Amino acid sequence: MASGLLLGGAVAALVTAAVPAHNPSGGFVDPPPDKIVINVATVNGSGCPAGTAAVAVSEDNTAFTVTYSDYLAQVGGNSDPTAFRKNCQLNLIVHVPQGFTYAIASADYRGFASLQSGASAVQRASYYFQGSSQTAFKTHNFTGALNDNWQATDTTDWAQLVWAPCGVQRNFNINTEIRVNAGSSSPSKVSFMTMDSTDGDISTIYHMAWKECPGK
């Protein structure tokens, strides 16, 4: 997919408060007044086939949302043997105002899970910048019996934030995964998990933290 090409599909509206960044020397750094622009370089994965994911930036430039319409993992019954795990990697180009850098301070994930008794599921995400060895991993576990909406929030301590390098354009990667394990549940019964329900009114929201680059 061409660099800078936004994905098609329905984009849910964002309703999110600004998330200011903590300043180690005291106080907070407000989001820079100039607009940030987030473009999608590539989207790859079994959980986000072409045309099934969309990205939008909030009006206050402190968050962005990703909406999926075909992100589902399942086991049991007549499920495809490879359907137990789905993933999606977003490769984003983030243009930020000069003199600032950013990191993902938190992320909110939602979906629906129908897990038989004895089955389990995992939602996992990793965050890293192109060419950087520093990666943040977050994992959430779910167990059956469960038949309900699910929500998971990744939060990162200030000292553990993975910051974009100042003065360097590095693509930002978010790799998410959902995995369903039949465990001791009946092989004839289906267990499944979705990332963002297909009604399209639930979004994955990534909240940004900001800090000034040295010398600004």
Side-chain angles (χ1 to χ4, degrees), residues 44 64 68 71 85-92 104 106-107 109 122-130 132-140 154 156 160 162 171-178 195 204 206:
N44 293 301
F64 63 95
Y68 302 99
Y71 201 159
R85 176 188 179 273
K86 294 295 178 69
N87 81 296
C88 183
Q89 176 157 318
L90 301 171
N91 183 257
L92 305 175
I104 302 301
S106 66
Y109 296 95
V122 173
Q123 184 270 322
R124 180 179 292 116
S126 61
Y127 311 88
Y128 63 97
F129 288 94
Q130 181 182 9
S132 173
S133 60
Q134 187 179 7
T135 303
F137 294 93
K138 300 292 180 179
T139 300
H140 303 276
D154 293 348
T156 305
Q160 297 175 334
V162 181
N171 288 12
F172 187 64
N173 296 279
I174 302 172
N175 192 10
T176 60
E177 172 188 341
I178 53 177
M195 178 87 78
T204 295
Y206 297 91

mmCIF file of all heavy atoms in Angstrom, residues 44 64 68 71 85-92 104 106-107 109 122-130 132-140 154 156 160 162 171-178 195 204 206:
data_model
loop_
_atom_site.group_PDB
_atom_site.id
_atom_site.type_symbol
_atom_site.label_atom_id
_atom_site.label_comp_id
_atom_site.label_asym_id
_atom_site.label_seq_id
_atom_site.Cartn_x
_atom_site.Cartn_y
_atom_site.Cartn_z
ATOM 1 N N ASN A 44 -0.596 -4.943 7.624
ATOM 2 C CA ASN A 44 -0.407 -6.346 7.264
ATOM 3 C C ASN A 44 -0.909 -7.246 8.371
ATOM 4 O O ASN A 44 -0.740 -6.943 9.548
ATOM 5 C CB ASN A 44 1.086 -6.654 7.019
ATOM 6 C CG ASN A 44 1.628 -5.947 5.793
ATOM 7 O OD1 ASN A 44 1.126 -6.143 4.697
ATOM 8 N ND2 ASN A 44 2.654 -5.134 5.981
ATOM 9 N N PHE A 64 -5.233 8.792 18.438
ATOM 10 C CA PHE A 64 -5.752 8.323 17.157
ATOM 11 C C PHE A 64 -6.471 7.005 17.386
ATOM 12 O O PHE A 64 -6.252 6.318 18.383
ATOM 13 C CB PHE A 64 -4.652 8.186 16.102
ATOM 14 C CG PHE A 64 -3.584 7.182 16.412
ATOM 15 C CD1 PHE A 64 -3.651 5.874 15.932
ATOM 16 C CD2 PHE A 64 -2.470 7.537 17.157
ATOM 17 C CE1 PHE A 64 -2.662 4.954 16.203
ATOM 18 C CE2 PHE A 64 -1.467 6.622 17.440
ATOM 19 C CZ PHE A 64 -1.561 5.323 16.960
ATOM 20 N N TYR A 68 -11.490 -1.837 13.227
ATOM 21 C CA TYR A 68 -11.406 -3.080 12.457
ATOM 22 C C TYR A 68 -12.811 -3.622 12.199
ATOM 23 O O TYR A 68 -13.713 -3.456 13.015
ATOM 24 C CB TYR A 68 -10.624 -4.144 13.230
ATOM 25 C CG TYR A 68 -9.225 -3.745 13.614
ATOM 26 C CD1 TYR A 68 -8.943 -3.278 14.889
ATOM 27 C CD2 TYR A 68 -8.176 -3.854 12.707
ATOM 28 C CE1 TYR A 68 -7.659 -2.922 15.260
ATOM 29 C CE2 TYR A 68 -6.892 -3.501 13.072
ATOM 30 C CZ TYR A 68 -6.639 -3.039 14.344
ATOM 31 O OH TYR A 68 -5.371 -2.675 14.709
ATOM 32 N N TYR A 71 -11.636 -8.654 12.323
ATOM 33 C CA TYR A 71 -10.537 -9.120 13.171
ATOM 34 C C TYR A 71 -11.118 -10.142 14.146
ATOM 35 O O TYR A 71 -11.599 -9.796 15.219
ATOM 36 C CB TYR A 71 -9.956 -7.920 13.909
ATOM 37 C CG TYR A 71 -8.537 -8.068 14.432
ATOM 38 C CD1 TYR A 71 -7.766 -6.949 14.713
ATOM 39 C CD2 TYR A 71 -7.966 -9.325 14.659
ATOM 40 C CE1 TYR A 71 -6.472 -7.054 15.197
ATOM 41 C CE2 TYR A 71 -6.679 -9.447 15.135
ATOM 42 C CZ TYR A 71 -5.934 -8.299 15.408
ATOM 43 O OH TYR A 71 -4.649 -8.420 15.899
ATOM 44 N N ARG A 85 -5.460 -17.914 15.625
ATOM 45 C CA ARG A 85 -4.640 -16.736 15.878
ATOM 46 C C ARG A 85 -4.781 -15.751 14.727
ATOM 47 O O ARG A 85 -4.700 -16.122 13.565
ATOM 48 C CB ARG A 85 -3.166 -17.114 16.024
ATOM 49 C CG ARG A 85 -2.222 -15.932 16.185
ATOM 50 C CD ARG A 85 -0.758 -16.362 16.138
ATOM 51 N NE ARG A 85 0.158 -15.227 16.256
ATOM 52 C CZ ARG A 85 0.567 -14.496 15.220
ATOM 53 N NH1 ARG A 85 0.150 -14.779 13.994
ATOM 54 N NH2 ARG A 85 1.406 -13.477 15.408
ATOM 55 N N LYS A 86 -5.032 -14.487 15.074
ATOM 56 C CA LYS A 86 -5.064 -13.414 14.081
ATOM 57 C C LYS A 86 -4.203 -12.267 14.578
ATOM 58 O O LYS A 86 -4.103 -12.032 15.795
ATOM 59 C CB LYS A 86 -6.503 -12.930 13.842
ATOM 60 C CG LYS A 86 -7.422 -13.967 13.208
ATOM 61 C CD LYS A 86 -6.995 -14.329 11.797
ATOM 62 C CE LYS A 86 -7.877 -15.397 11.160
ATOM 63 N NZ LYS A 86 -9.224 -14.912 10.865
ATOM 64 N N ASN A 87 -3.574 -11.580 13.654
ATOM 65 C CA ASN A 87 -2.728 -10.450 14.041
ATOM 66 C C ASN A 87 -2.869 -9.318 13.039
ATOM 67 O O ASN A 87 -3.377 -9.497 11.926
ATOM 68 C CB ASN A 87 -1.259 -10.868 14.154
ATOM 69 C CG ASN A 87 -0.583 -10.903 12.798
ATOM 70 O OD1 ASN A 87 -0.960 -11.698 11.941
ATOM 71 N ND2 ASN A 87 0.407 -10.045 12.587
ATOM 72 N N CYS A 88 -2.424 -8.149 13.449
ATOM 73 C CA CYS A 88 -2.420 -7.003 12.547
ATOM 74 C C CYS A 88 -1.278 -6.082 12.944
ATOM 75 O O CYS A 88 -1.159 -5.690 14.110
ATOM 76 C CB CYS A 88 -3.752 -6.246 12.621
ATOM 77 S SG CYS A 88 -3.844 -4.863 11.448
ATOM 78 N N GLN A 89 -0.434 -5.758 11.975
ATOM 79 C CA GLN A 89 0.654 -4.813 12.223
ATOM 80 C C GLN A 89 0.398 -3.532 11.457
ATOM 81 O O GLN A 89 0.258 -3.530 10.238
ATOM 82 C CB GLN A 89 2.016 -5.386 11.832
ATOM 83 C CG GLN A 89 3.138 -4.355 12.012
ATOM 84 C CD GLN A 89 4.498 -4.982 12.192
ATOM 85 O OE1 GLN A 89 4.647 -5.976 12.908
ATOM 86 N NE2 GLN A 89 5.503 -4.409 11.553
ATOM 87 N N LEU A 90 0.335 -2.433 12.206
ATOM 88 C CA LEU A 90 0.203 -1.107 11.616
ATOM 89 C C LEU A 90 1.577 -0.463 11.551
ATOM 90 O O LEU A 90 2.308 -0.427 12.535
ATOM 91 C CB LEU A 90 -0.713 -0.228 12.475
ATOM 92 C CG LEU A 90 -2.141 -0.711 12.712
ATOM 93 C CD1 LEU A 90 -2.805 0.174 13.748
ATOM 94 C CD2 LEU A 90 -2.930 -0.704 11.424
ATOM 95 N N ASN A 91 1.925 0.041 10.373
ATOM 96 C CA ASN A 91 3.165 0.779 10.194
ATOM 97 C C ASN A 91 2.767 2.215 9.868
ATOM 98 O O ASN A 91 2.241 2.488 8.789
ATOM 99 C CB ASN A 91 4.001 0.164 9.072
ATOM 100 C CG ASN A 91 5.335 0.863 8.902
ATOM 101 O OD1 ASN A 91 5.507 1.651 7.983
ATOM 102 N ND2 ASN A 91 6.281 0.586 9.782
ATOM 103 N N LEU A 92 2.973 3.113 10.833
ATOM 104 C CA LEU A 92 2.460 4.477 10.729
ATOM 105 C C LEU A 92 3.584 5.486 10.517
ATOM 106 O O LEU A 92 4.665 5.364 11.095
ATOM 107 C CB LEU A 92 1.705 4.846 12.012
ATOM 108 C CG LEU A 92 0.579 3.898 12.430
ATOM 109 C CD1 LEU A 92 0.022 4.326 13.779
ATOM 110 C CD2 LEU A 92 -0.515 3.850 11.389
ATOM 111 N N ILE A 104 3.449 6.478 22.756
ATOM 112 C CA ILE A 104 2.102 6.016 23.078
ATOM 113 C C ILE A 104 2.049 5.752 24.578
ATOM 114 O O ILE A 104 2.701 4.850 25.089
ATOM 115 C CB ILE A 104 1.738 4.751 22.291
ATOM 116 C CG1 ILE A 104 1.843 5.016 20.785
ATOM 117 C CG2 ILE A 104 0.334 4.281 22.659
ATOM 118 C CD1 ILE A 104 0.954 6.116 20.278
ATOM 119 N N SER A 106 -0.871 5.221 26.440
ATOM 120 C CA SER A 106 -1.843 4.186 26.784
ATOM 121 C C SER A 106 -2.656 3.822 25.553
ATOM 122 O O SER A 106 -2.699 4.577 24.576
ATOM 123 C CB SER A 106 -2.771 4.652 27.916
ATOM 124 O OG SER A 106 -3.592 5.722 27.482
ATOM 125 N N ALA A 107 -3.286 2.677 25.605
ATOM 126 C CA ALA A 107 -4.122 2.204 24.503
ATOM 127 C C ALA A 107 -5.317 1.456 25.068
ATOM 128 O O ALA A 107 -5.184 0.688 26.024
ATOM 129 C CB ALA A 107 -3.321 1.293 23.573
ATOM 130 N N TYR A 109 -8.307 -1.178 24.165
ATOM 131 C CA TYR A 109 -8.755 -2.205 23.227
ATOM 132 C C TYR A 109 -10.111 -2.734 23.655
ATOM 133 O O TYR A 109 -10.349 -2.946 24.848
ATOM 134 C CB TYR A 109 -7.759 -3.364 23.171
ATOM 135 C CG TYR A 109 -6.401 -2.983 22.647
ATOM 136 C CD1 TYR A 109 -5.369 -2.639 23.515
ATOM 137 C CD2 TYR A 109 -6.143 -2.969 21.282
ATOM 138 C CE1 TYR A 109 -4.122 -2.278 23.042
ATOM 139 C CE2 TYR A 109 -4.897 -2.612 20.794
ATOM 140 C CZ TYR A 109 -3.896 -2.269 21.674
ATOM 141 O OH TYR A 109 -2.660 -1.914 21.202
ATOM 142 N N VAL A 122 -6.074 -14.783 24.474
ATOM 143 C CA VAL A 122 -5.031 -13.812 24.803
ATOM 144 C C VAL A 122 -5.122 -12.654 23.826
ATOM 145 O O VAL A 122 -5.315 -12.854 22.620
ATOM 146 C CB VAL A 122 -3.622 -14.443 24.713
ATOM 147 C CG1 VAL A 122 -2.545 -13.381 24.893
ATOM 148 C CG2 VAL A 122 -3.459 -15.540 25.752
ATOM 149 N N GLN A 123 -5.025 -11.442 24.349
ATOM 150 C CA GLN A 123 -4.855 -10.257 23.515
ATOM 151 C C GLN A 123 -3.491 -9.665 23.845
ATOM 152 O O GLN A 123 -3.159 -9.452 25.000
ATOM 153 C CB GLN A 123 -5.960 -9.230 23.780
ATOM 154 C CG GLN A 123 -5.905 -7.997 22.876
ATOM 155 C CD GLN A 123 -5.070 -6.866 23.453
ATOM 156 O OE1 GLN A 123 -5.086 -6.618 24.666
ATOM 157 N NE2 GLN A 123 -4.335 -6.180 22.610
ATOM 158 N N ARG A 124 -2.691 -9.431 22.802
ATOM 159 C CA ARG A 124 -1.314 -8.980 23.015
ATOM 160 C C ARG A 124 -0.999 -7.841 22.056
ATOM 161 O O ARG A 124 -1.506 -7.794 20.937
ATOM 162 C CB ARG A 124 -0.352 -10.148 22.792
ATOM 163 C CG ARG A 124 1.122 -9.812 22.973
ATOM 164 C CD ARG A 124 2.002 -11.026 22.750
ATOM 165 N NE ARG A 124 1.813 -12.035 23.798
ATOM 166 C CZ ARG A 124 1.334 -13.253 23.592
ATOM 167 N NH1 ARG A 124 0.971 -13.623 22.381
ATOM 168 N NH2 ARG A 124 1.203 -14.108 24.589
ATOM 169 N N ALA A 125 -0.149 -6.922 22.504
ATOM 170 C CA ALA A 125 0.269 -5.814 21.645
ATOM 171 C C ALA A 125 1.722 -5.471 21.919
ATOM 172 O O ALA A 125 2.207 -5.622 23.046
ATOM 173 C CB ALA A 125 -0.610 -4.582 21.874
ATOM 174 N N SER A 126 2.406 -5.028 20.886
ATOM 175 C CA SER A 126 3.773 -4.538 21.045
ATOM 176 C C SER A 126 3.915 -3.226 20.282
ATOM 177 O O SER A 126 3.237 -2.995 19.280
ATOM 178 C CB SER A 126 4.802 -5.563 20.534
ATOM 179 O OG SER A 126 4.629 -5.827 19.155
ATOM 180 N N TYR A 127 4.803 -2.363 20.791
ATOM 181 C CA TYR A 127 4.966 -1.021 20.252
ATOM 182 C C TYR A 127 6.464 -0.745 20.069
ATOM 183 O O TYR A 127 7.240 -0.900 21.001
ATOM 184 C CB TYR A 127 4.387 0.021 21.217
ATOM 185 C CG TYR A 127 2.991 -0.298 21.711
ATOM 186 C CD1 TYR A 127 2.788 -1.083 22.859
ATOM 187 C CD2 TYR A 127 1.877 0.178 21.046
ATOM 188 C CE1 TYR A 127 1.509 -1.373 23.314
ATOM 189 C CE2 TYR A 127 0.583 -0.100 21.496
ATOM 190 C CZ TYR A 127 0.419 -0.883 22.630
ATOM 191 O OH TYR A 127 -0.840 -1.174 23.080
ATOM 192 N N TYR A 128 6.845 -0.312 18.877
ATOM 193 C CA TYR A 128 8.257 -0.011 18.660
ATOM 194 C C TYR A 128 8.441 0.884 17.439
ATOM 195 O O TYR A 128 7.592 0.922 16.542
ATOM 196 C CB TYR A 128 9.078 -1.295 18.498
ATOM 197 C CG TYR A 128 8.695 -2.136 17.290
ATOM 198 C CD1 TYR A 128 9.394 -2.046 16.080
ATOM 199 C CD2 TYR A 128 7.622 -3.028 17.353
ATOM 200 C CE1 TYR A 128 9.042 -2.818 14.988
ATOM 201 C CE2 TYR A 128 7.270 -3.798 16.263
ATOM 202 C CZ TYR A 128 7.979 -3.685 15.081
ATOM 203 O OH TYR A 128 7.614 -4.437 13.996
ATOM 204 N N PHE A 129 9.562 1.610 17.430
ATOM 205 C CA PHE A 129 9.905 2.462 16.306
ATOM 206 C C PHE A 129 10.853 1.722 15.371
ATOM 207 O O PHE A 129 11.690 0.925 15.816
ATOM 208 C CB PHE A 129 10.562 3.764 16.778
ATOM 209 C CG PHE A 129 9.592 4.711 17.426
ATOM 210 C CD1 PHE A 129 9.424 4.717 18.804
ATOM 211 C CD2 PHE A 129 8.825 5.572 16.662
ATOM 212 C CE1 PHE A 129 8.520 5.566 19.403
ATOM 213 C CE2 PHE A 129 7.913 6.430 17.252
ATOM 214 C CZ PHE A 129 7.760 6.433 18.626
ATOM 215 N N GLN A 130 10.715 1.992 14.092
ATOM 216 C CA GLN A 130 11.565 1.368 13.085
ATOM 217 C C GLN A 130 13.037 1.592 13.422
ATOM 218 O O GLN A 130 13.465 2.697 13.705
ATOM 219 C CB GLN A 130 11.242 1.968 11.706
ATOM 220 C CG GLN A 130 12.052 1.387 10.558
ATOM 221 C CD GLN A 130 11.705 2.077 9.248
ATOM 222 O OE1 GLN A 130 11.001 3.086 9.237
ATOM 223 N NE2 GLN A 130 12.176 1.538 8.155
ATOM 224 N N SER A 132 14.623 0.603 16.033
ATOM 225 C CA SER A 132 14.904 0.676 17.468
ATOM 226 C C SER A 132 14.803 -0.705 18.095
ATOM 227 O O SER A 132 13.936 -1.502 17.749
ATOM 228 C CB SER A 132 13.920 1.629 18.162
ATOM 229 O OG SER A 132 14.083 1.580 19.565
ATOM 230 N N SER A 133 15.692 -0.987 19.039
ATOM 231 C CA SER A 133 15.667 -2.275 19.729
ATOM 232 C C SER A 133 14.728 -2.244 20.934
ATOM 233 O O SER A 133 14.459 -3.279 21.544
ATOM 234 C CB SER A 133 17.078 -2.652 20.193
ATOM 235 O OG SER A 133 17.588 -1.672 21.084
ATOM 236 N N GLN A 134 14.233 -1.056 21.289
ATOM 237 C CA GLN A 134 13.364 -0.912 22.451
ATOM 238 C C GLN A 134 11.923 -1.192 22.047
ATOM 239 O O GLN A 134 11.356 -0.514 21.188
ATOM 240 C CB GLN A 134 13.485 0.485 23.046
ATOM 241 C CG GLN A 134 12.736 0.647 24.376
ATOM 242 C CD GLN A 134 12.903 2.039 24.951
ATOM 243 O OE1 GLN A 134 13.459 2.917 24.319
ATOM 244 N NE2 GLN A 134 12.401 2.233 26.159
ATOM 245 N N THR A 135 11.316 -2.190 22.670
ATOM 246 C CA THR A 135 9.943 -2.574 22.362
ATOM 247 C C THR A 135 9.159 -2.734 23.652
ATOM 248 O O THR A 135 9.660 -3.286 24.625
ATOM 249 C CB THR A 135 9.899 -3.906 21.585
ATOM 250 O OG1 THR A 135 10.678 -3.784 20.380
ATOM 251 C CG2 THR A 135 8.469 -4.268 21.198
ATOM 252 N N ALA A 136 7.925 -2.230 23.657
ATOM 253 C CA ALA A 136 7.041 -2.395 24.806
ATOM 254 C C ALA A 136 6.017 -3.475 24.488
ATOM 255 O O ALA A 136 5.368 -3.432 23.444
ATOM 256 C CB ALA A 136 6.342 -1.083 25.125
ATOM 257 N N PHE A 137 5.890 -4.476 25.356
ATOM 258 C CA PHE A 137 4.937 -5.570 25.173
ATOM 259 C C PHE A 137 3.875 -5.520 26.272
ATOM 260 O O PHE A 137 4.199 -5.276 27.438
ATOM 261 C CB PHE A 137 5.637 -6.934 25.245
ATOM 262 C CG PHE A 137 6.600 -7.200 24.130
ATOM 263 C CD1 PHE A 137 7.946 -6.900 24.273
ATOM 264 C CD2 PHE A 137 6.166 -7.762 22.939
ATOM 265 C CE1 PHE A 137 8.850 -7.151 23.256
ATOM 266 C CE2 PHE A 137 7.065 -8.017 21.918
ATOM 267 C CZ PHE A 137 8.398 -7.711 22.067
ATOM 268 N N LYS A 138 2.621 -5.773 25.915
ATOM 269 C CA LYS A 138 1.533 -5.843 26.877
ATOM 270 C C LYS A 138 0.650 -7.035 26.520
ATOM 271 O O LYS A 138 0.332 -7.254 25.344
ATOM 272 C CB LYS A 138 0.700 -4.557 26.871
ATOM 273 C CG LYS A 138 1.486 -3.297 27.217
ATOM 274 C CD LYS A 138 1.936 -3.285 28.680
ATOM 275 C CE LYS A 138 2.711 -2.013 29.005
ATOM 276 N NZ LYS A 138 3.142 -1.974 30.413
ATOM 277 N N THR A 139 0.220 -7.814 27.534
ATOM 278 C CA THR A 139 -0.586 -9.018 27.315
ATOM 279 C C THR A 139 -1.759 -9.043 28.284
ATOM 280 O O THR A 139 -1.613 -8.699 29.458
ATOM 281 C CB THR A 139 0.270 -10.284 27.509
ATOM 282 O OG1 THR A 139 1.352 -10.268 26.579
ATOM 283 C CG2 THR A 139 -0.564 -11.543 27.278
ATOM 284 N N HIS A 140 -2.923 -9.477 27.791
ATOM 285 C CA HIS A 140 -4.121 -9.626 28.614
ATOM 286 C C HIS A 140 -4.721 -11.009 28.362
ATOM 287 O O HIS A 140 -4.860 -11.434 27.212
ATOM 288 C CB HIS A 140 -5.141 -8.536 28.293
ATOM 289 C CG HIS A 140 -4.617 -7.151 28.466
ATOM 290 N ND1 HIS A 140 -4.602 -6.500 29.681
ATOM 291 C CD2 HIS A 140 -4.040 -6.291 27.578
ATOM 292 C CE1 HIS A 140 -4.079 -5.291 29.534
ATOM 293 N NE2 HIS A 140 -3.723 -5.141 28.269
ATOM 294 N N ASP A 154 -3.763 -0.841 27.977
ATOM 295 C CA ASP A 154 -2.314 -0.861 28.177
ATOM 296 C C ASP A 154 -1.890 0.511 28.677
ATOM 297 O O ASP A 154 -2.202 1.533 28.062
ATOM 298 C CB ASP A 154 -1.573 -1.155 26.871
ATOM 299 C CG ASP A 154 -1.813 -2.565 26.366
ATOM 300 O OD1 ASP A 154 -2.353 -3.381 27.133
ATOM 301 O OD2 ASP A 154 -1.468 -2.841 25.200
ATOM 302 N N THR A 156 1.587 2.729 30.262
ATOM 303 C CA THR A 156 3.047 2.685 30.316
ATOM 304 C C THR A 156 3.564 3.730 31.293
ATOM 305 O O THR A 156 3.168 4.895 31.215
ATOM 306 C CB THR A 156 3.648 2.953 28.919
ATOM 307 O OG1 THR A 156 3.101 2.026 27.991
ATOM 308 C CG2 THR A 156 5.159 2.800 28.943
ATOM 309 N N GLN A 160 9.196 4.097 31.112
ATOM 310 C CA GLN A 160 9.183 2.993 30.164
ATOM 311 C C GLN A 160 8.606 3.374 28.806
ATOM 312 O O GLN A 160 8.476 2.521 27.930
ATOM 313 C CB GLN A 160 8.382 1.820 30.746
ATOM 314 C CG GLN A 160 8.995 1.245 32.010
ATOM 315 C CD GLN A 160 8.131 0.163 32.632
ATOM 316 O OE1 GLN A 160 6.918 0.135 32.450
ATOM 317 N NE2 GLN A 160 8.756 -0.741 33.355
ATOM 318 N N VAL A 162 8.346 4.449 25.096
ATOM 319 C CA VAL A 162 9.240 4.309 23.950
ATOM 320 C C VAL A 162 9.075 5.554 23.089
ATOM 321 O O VAL A 162 8.116 5.683 22.333
ATOM 322 C CB VAL A 162 8.906 3.035 23.145
ATOM 323 C CG1 VAL A 162 9.866 2.876 21.971
ATOM 324 C CG2 VAL A 162 8.969 1.806 24.046
ATOM 325 N N ASN A 171 9.281 5.372 11.271
ATOM 326 C CA ASN A 171 7.934 4.832 11.271
ATOM 327 C C ASN A 171 7.643 4.137 12.594
ATOM 328 O O ASN A 171 8.514 3.505 13.183
ATOM 329 C CB ASN A 171 7.749 3.852 10.114
ATOM 330 C CG ASN A 171 7.700 4.547 8.771
ATOM 331 O OD1 ASN A 171 8.023 5.732 8.660
ATOM 332 N ND2 ASN A 171 7.306 3.826 7.749
ATOM 333 N N PHE A 172 6.395 4.272 13.051
ATOM 334 C CA PHE A 172 5.984 3.673 14.306
ATOM 335 C C PHE A 172 5.162 2.425 14.025
ATOM 336 O O PHE A 172 4.251 2.441 13.193
ATOM 337 C CB PHE A 172 5.160 4.670 15.121
ATOM 338 C CG PHE A 172 4.832 4.182 16.501
ATOM 339 C CD1 PHE A 172 5.841 3.957 17.417
ATOM 340 C CD2 PHE A 172 3.525 3.941 16.886
ATOM 341 C CE1 PHE A 172 5.555 3.505 18.698
ATOM 342 C CE2 PHE A 172 3.228 3.497 18.164
ATOM 343 C CZ PHE A 172 4.246 3.272 19.068
ATOM 344 N N ASN A 173 5.496 1.333 14.716
ATOM 345 C CA ASN A 173 4.840 0.052 14.486
ATOM 346 C C ASN A 173 4.025 -0.368 15.706
ATOM 347 O O ASN A 173 4.511 -0.311 16.835
ATOM 348 C CB ASN A 173 5.878 -1.034 14.190
ATOM 349 C CG ASN A 173 6.632 -0.773 12.904
ATOM 350 O OD1 ASN A 173 6.160 -1.064 11.821
ATOM 351 N ND2 ASN A 173 7.825 -0.202 13.033
ATOM 352 N N ILE A 174 2.801 -0.785 15.450
ATOM 353 C CA ILE A 174 1.949 -1.378 16.475
ATOM 354 C C ILE A 174 1.531 -2.749 15.975
ATOM 355 O O ILE A 174 0.896 -2.863 14.924
ATOM 356 C CB ILE A 174 0.706 -0.527 16.750
ATOM 357 C CG1 ILE A 174 1.102 0.887 17.192
ATOM 358 C CG2 ILE A 174 -0.182 -1.194 17.804
ATOM 359 C CD1 ILE A 174 -0.065 1.831 17.294
ATOM 360 N N ASN A 175 1.904 -3.780 16.699
ATOM 361 C CA ASN A 175 1.574 -5.149 16.300
ATOM 362 C C ASN A 175 0.628 -5.740 17.335
ATOM 363 O O ASN A 175 0.998 -5.912 18.500
ATOM 364 C CB ASN A 175 2.850 -5.998 16.197
ATOM 365 C CG ASN A 175 2.586 -7.331 15.514
ATOM 366 O OD1 ASN A 175 1.513 -7.553 14.953
ATOM 367 N ND2 ASN A 175 3.551 -8.214 15.561
ATOM 368 N N THR A 176 -0.605 -6.013 16.938
ATOM 369 C CA THR A 176 -1.588 -6.592 17.855
ATOM 370 C C THR A 176 -1.895 -8.036 17.451
ATOM 371 O O THR A 176 -1.737 -8.419 16.297
ATOM 372 C CB THR A 176 -2.891 -5.788 17.870
ATOM 373 O OG1 THR A 176 -3.459 -5.768 16.553
ATOM 374 C CG2 THR A 176 -2.644 -4.371 18.337
ATOM 375 N N GLU A 177 -2.363 -8.802 18.425
ATOM 376 C CA GLU A 177 -2.650 -10.226 18.196
ATOM 377 C C GLU A 177 -3.771 -10.667 19.120
ATOM 378 O O GLU A 177 -3.831 -10.245 20.284
ATOM 379 C CB GLU A 177 -1.400 -11.055 18.475
ATOM 380 C CG GLU A 177 -1.608 -12.560 18.450
ATOM 381 C CD GLU A 177 -0.384 -13.329 18.930
ATOM 382 O OE1 GLU A 177 0.723 -12.746 18.930
ATOM 383 O OE2 GLU A 177 -0.535 -14.496 19.320
ATOM 384 N N ILE A 178 -4.668 -11.494 18.613
ATOM 385 C CA ILE A 178 -5.614 -12.206 19.457
ATOM 386 C C ILE A 178 -5.472 -13.691 19.157
ATOM 387 O O ILE A 178 -5.301 -14.095 18.007
ATOM 388 C CB ILE A 178 -7.066 -11.737 19.271
ATOM 389 C CG1 ILE A 178 -7.492 -11.767 17.802
ATOM 390 C CG2 ILE A 178 -7.270 -10.358 19.867
ATOM 391 C CD1 ILE A 178 -8.942 -11.375 17.589
ATOM 392 N N MET A 195 -11.555 -8.424 17.809
ATOM 393 C CA MET A 195 -10.980 -7.131 18.179
ATOM 394 C C MET A 195 -11.855 -6.078 17.527
ATOM 395 O O MET A 195 -11.892 -5.967 16.296
ATOM 396 C CB MET A 195 -9.546 -7.001 17.655
ATOM 397 C CG MET A 195 -8.909 -5.663 17.965
ATOM 398 S SD MET A 195 -8.115 -5.617 19.581
ATOM 399 C CE MET A 195 -6.596 -6.506 19.198
ATOM 400 N N THR A 204 -10.373 1.152 18.863
ATOM 401 C CA THR A 204 -9.125 1.060 19.614
ATOM 402 C C THR A 204 -8.499 2.450 19.611
ATOM 403 O O THR A 204 -8.238 3.009 18.548
ATOM 404 C CB THR A 204 -8.170 0.053 18.968
ATOM 405 O OG1 THR A 204 -8.737 -1.246 19.048
ATOM 406 C CG2 THR A 204 -6.819 0.053 19.674
ATOM 407 N N TYR A 206 -5.487 5.061 20.821
ATOM 408 C CA TYR A 206 -4.110 5.196 21.292
ATOM 409 C C TYR A 206 -3.892 6.631 21.755
ATOM 410 O O TYR A 206 -4.059 7.572 20.991
ATOM 411 C CB TYR A 206 -3.122 4.848 20.168
ATOM 412 C CG TYR A 206 -3.225 3.420 19.707
ATOM 413 C CD1 TYR A 206 -4.076 3.071 18.666
ATOM 414 C CD2 TYR A 206 -2.478 2.410 20.314
ATOM 415 C CE1 TYR A 206 -4.182 1.748 18.237
ATOM 416 C CE2 TYR A 206 -2.579 1.096 19.889
ATOM 417 C CZ TYR A 206 -3.425 0.774 18.847
ATOM 418 O OH TYR A 206 -3.541 -0.533 18.430
#
